[in-house]
Amino acid sequence: MERDLPNKIDIQKTYDEYRPVFQEILSKIEESLKKTIKISSAPTYKNRIKSFNSYYKKILRQKPKEAAESKTLVTLTDMMGIRVICAFLEDIDLVEKQLEEAYDVKEIERKGAQQSFREFGYESRHVLISIPQDCLPDDKSIYLPPDLVCEIQIRTILQDAWAEVEHELIYKSEFNPFDKPLRRKLASINASLSLADTIFQEIRDYQNRLVSELGCRRNTFYDKADELTDKELGTSRDNSSGHQAFAPVSNKAGSIDDLVLQALHEHNVGNFTQAVHIYTQILDSKPEPPDVVKAVILKHRGMAFFAQNLYDQALEDFKESEKHDPKGFRTIYYEGIVHGVQGKDNEAIECYNRSLGIDPYQSHVYYRRAISYFVLGDYNAAMKDITSAEKLGLNDDDLKALKAKVIKKFDMGM
């Protein structure tokens, strides 16, 4: 019995007629993805329509009978594809989750997940989605097969780079049995890229934790400063909410990065003596580069001293930190806070002036300088700084309370 053969000319004519339709759909889906996917580092997007030659070869392998008999478009799952290229491994799971929440997901394939380290196939997450209603062609008369899907590929930058090279070296050419040494070289390159992705993620994890610890430590410092300021101004606040709790950190000594995280943790949970001890240990280790590390660690240790009401030691550390980083506007601001709680408002104002001279867009520095002006009885200068803080977006209860006190002084005729 003679087999019906697919008519390549007819198939290409149909496929070419759909190409502009595919491009319209792809453009709409890409715009939709850009609105839907929210991760810390914005991904890069690439879209592509499968070339006819690749399409034709694949339907001959997978759907030859349907291609020979069908008078309409024969669909494949990868005719339309969009790559979402992320910076970090952690982003892949986040993007997949957001796709599942926003679209009708038909299938998820984790390519390369089961490969051994000797293999050189690329890794990628492939998600098949139905075409969303708002991404259909504007011309509603166009027939679209009901099983039409778009393939969303999620990769890291390094996975995508490898896939591009692999496509040229392997997919487009046939390796023969004598290519074993080349295969080993490719496997080695792939392993190196995978290791680089893992290391990048580890660094990212460290940074995320460091940012969390630093944020908590800074808030603790400001809360302490606010508490002392309240006593001076005769106001009160509710500090019953407490601070964020963090998982314990090992006491085992490690790299400077490990020690910094450990010190910040001890600082954040209120173990200030232990935090000072670790900060001192880092400083005694003669870290490199010395000015950069010392400026940061001295600033942290000064904040730990401040939390213990050891104002002279705190001020000494802040000033020493400034020597290593003269442009450290935040450290200079902290110096001003210490002078302020010690009742040395003229010295505090001098520090705030220097800090604002480096970065004039610090709303809280204007607020703190306004407090010192208020204490010194210079209500016009205080109101001017309050206005500056408001212009920069500061609108909390502390600023409002200070403004009310200044207005009251004006009403009393000063």
Side-chain angles (χ1 to χ4, degrees):
M1 181 177 178
E2 188 175 345
R3 173 184 294 180
D4 268 346
L5 297 176
N7 187 316
K8 183 176 182 180
I9 294 175
D10 290 344
I11 293 171
Q12 181 164 10
K13 181 181 178 182
T14 301
Y15 196 73
D16 288 345
E17 287 174 350
Y18 271 95
R19 286 189 68 86
V21 177
F22 292 161
Q23 190 57 64
E24 181 184 354
I25 292 172
L26 273 180
S27 297
K28 289 182 176 180
I29 294 178
E30 183 175 330
E31 287 305 309
S32 175
L33 290 173
K34 289 177 180 178
K35 295 175 184 176
T36 300
I37 296 173
K38 304 296 181 186
I39 54 179
S40 56
S41 298
T44 301
Y45 297 86
K46 298 179 183 177
N47 69 58
R48 64 104 184 98
I49 299 169
K50 199 173 191 68
S51 70
F52 173 74
N53 286 336
S54 296
Y55 167 78
Y56 184 66
K57 288 178 183 178
K58 196 164 185 177
I59 62 171
L60 290 184
R61 292 197 311 269
Q62 296 186 359
K63 300 181 177 182
K65 184 177 180 182
E66 185 179 345
E69 297 174 353
S70 178
K71 301 300 182 184
T72 59
L73 180 72
V74 177
T75 60
L76 296 174
T77 59
D78 61 347
M79 292 190 303
M80 294 183 290
I82 298 177
R83 291 181 193 172
V84 182
I85 304 169
C86 310
F88 302 102
L89 288 170
E90 67 179 0
D91 297 329
I92 293 177
D93 287 333
L94 290 173
V95 171
E96 180 186 317
K97 184 174 185 295
Q98 291 173 16
L99 291 178
E100 287 186 289
E101 292 173 349
Y103 301 99
D104 178 15
V105 173
K106 296 298 184 182
E107 181 184 320
I108 298 176
E109 182 181 6
R110 293 168 173 82
K111 287 185 175 290
Q114 304 304 320
Q115 290 173 167
S116 75
F117 70 92
R118 295 185 181 87
E119 298 174 295
F120 50 78
Y122 73 89
E123 291 189 34
S124 184
R125 195 78 53 90
H126 290 195
V127 181
L128 299 182
I129 66 169
S130 298
I131 311 303
Q133 286 295 315
D134 58 357
C135 296
L136 293 173
D138 293 335
D139 185 351
K140 304 305 178 186
S141 67
I142 297 174
Y143 170 75
L144 291 179
D147 58 347
L148 188 65
V149 294
C150 180
E151 182 182 69
I152 312 296
Q153 300 176 353
I154 317 168
R155 301 173 182 168
T156 65
I157 295 169
L158 295 183
Q159 287 172 352
D160 187 63
W162 168 254
E164 293 284 3
V165 174
E166 185 211 36
H167 186 75
E168 294 295 324
L169 292 181
I170 302 170
Y171 185 76
K172 286 187 175 181
S173 64
E174 293 296 329
F175 271 65
N176 61 57
F178 300 102
D179 287 321
K180 202 169 185 180
L182 291 179
R183 287 176 173 270
R184 286 176 176 166
K185 289 179 180 178
L186 286 167
S188 176
I189 294 170
N190 189 32
S192 297
L193 291 173
S194 297
L195 177 61
D197 253 339
T198 300
I199 293 172
F200 285 155
Q201 184 59 55
E202 289 175 352
I203 294 171
R204 184 65 163 182
D205 291 340
Y206 171 82
Q207 287 178 330
N208 288 339
R209 184 170 179 188
L210 184 63
V211 167
S212 295
E213 295 281 7
L214 284 172
C216 183
R217 180 217 19 95
R218 191 174 294 125
N219 288 337
T220 302
F221 178 81
Y222 290 148
D223 286 348
K224 176 72 174 179
D226 288 340
E227 179 186 336
L228 294 168
T229 301
D230 288 340
K231 291 180 180 178
E232 187 172 14
L233 297 178
T235 56
S236 62
R237 70 182 64 241
D238 178 14
N239 283 326
S240 60
S241 59
H243 301 294
Q244 180 181 358
F246 289 84
V249 179
S250 170
N251 286 324
K252 186 177 7 178
S255 68
I256 287 181
D257 289 338
D258 294 332
L259 289 172
V260 168
L261 274 179
Q262 185 177 350
L264 290 173
H265 167 76
E266 299 294 347
H267 194 151
N268 290 336
V269 298
N271 297 332
F272 302 120
T273 302
Q274 179 65 8
V276 167
H277 172 73
I278 300 172
Y279 290 139
T280 303
Q281 184 180 346
I282 296 171
L283 292 169
D284 290 343
S285 69
K286 298 180 180 179
E288 294 288 341
D291 282 335
V292 174
V293 178
K294 286 183 178 180
V296 173
I297 300 304
L298 284 164
K299 178 174 65 176
H300 293 336
R301 192 174 70 174
M303 296 167 82
F305 280 135
F306 182 84
Q308 300 174 82
N309 301 328
L310 300 174
Y311 304 132
D312 290 338
Q313 290 96 318
L315 194 57
E316 183 179 343
D317 270 1
F318 291 147
K319 288 182 176 180
E320 189 66 23
S321 175
E322 186 187 350
K323 289 180 183 177
H324 293 284
D325 180 16
K327 296 296 184 181
F329 57 88
R330 190 169 283 118
T331 302
I332 299 170
Y333 168 44
Y334 294 165
E335 290 179 40
I337 289 177
V338 177
H339 284 307
V341 300
Q342 288 182 317
K344 301 175 183 177
D345 288 286
N346 285 313
E347 289 89 337
I349 290 171
E350 188 272 333
C351 289
Y352 298 145
N353 291 342
R354 288 194 291 118
S355 181
L356 289 170
I358 300 169
D359 180 359
Y361 306 109
Q362 303 177 78
S363 60
H364 280 83
V365 181
Y366 286 106
Y367 162 68
R368 284 281 164 192
R369 193 170 68 177
I371 291 174
S372 288
Y373 280 133
F374 178 84
V375 172
L376 293 173
D378 190 344
Y379 306 120
N380 286 315
M383 184 57 77
K384 184 178 178 180
D385 273 355
I386 290 170
T387 301
S388 296
E390 290 175 332
K391 284 182 178 179
L392 290 172
L394 188 61
N395 191 34
D396 60 16
D397 291 340
D398 291 337
L399 185 68
K400 292 176 182 177
L402 179 61
K403 185 175 183 178
K405 288 179 179 290
V406 174
I407 291 174
K408 187 175 180 180
K409 292 293 184 180
F410 285 139
D411 291 341
M412 295 170 60
M414 295 190 290

